[in-house]
Amino acid sequence: MYLVAIAWLYVVVLMALAEALGAGGSWLGASITFVLYGALPLAIALYLIGTPARRAARRRAAVSGLDPDGSGHPASDAVATEREEA
């Protein structure tokens, strides 16, 4: 999965370089090319592809009964809720 993402970013970087270094190109066009053809679609695709893994991890955490971060520390705040006057 990550190999395809890296390859796609490689292609998009080359497209952006061709846009920037071309005769009528600009760096603004290259950055728009990179964001709209590369970073944004890739981020959406990786998020959608990773959804089942996140859901399974959430289920495993709920079934095991452990806290989500696995630290073993209590989730409550360490600061006292009431202040005692001396």
Side-chain angles (χ1 to χ4, degrees):
M1 173 173 76
Y2 292 120
L3 182 63
V4 174
I6 292 169
W8 179 249
L9 279 180
Y10 176 73
V11 169
V12 171
V13 165
L14 290 181
M15 288 172 50
L17 281 175
E19 172 74 27
L21 300 176
S26 67
W27 287 104
L28 177 64
S31 62
I32 290 173
T33 298
F34 179 75
V35 170
L36 294 181
Y37 284 129
L40 186 64
L42 188 62
I44 292 170
L46 289 178
Y47 177 78
L48 291 176
I49 290 170
T51 299
R54 287 191 308 275
R55 187 177 299 139
R58 198 176 314 125
R59 277 197 203 123
R60 280 193 306 270
V63 169
S64 68
L66 297 176
D67 54 331
D69 64 352
S71 66
H73 297 292
S76 64
D77 198 5
V79 178
T81 56
E82 292 183 23
R83 182 175 174 180
E84 295 180 14
E85 297 294 324

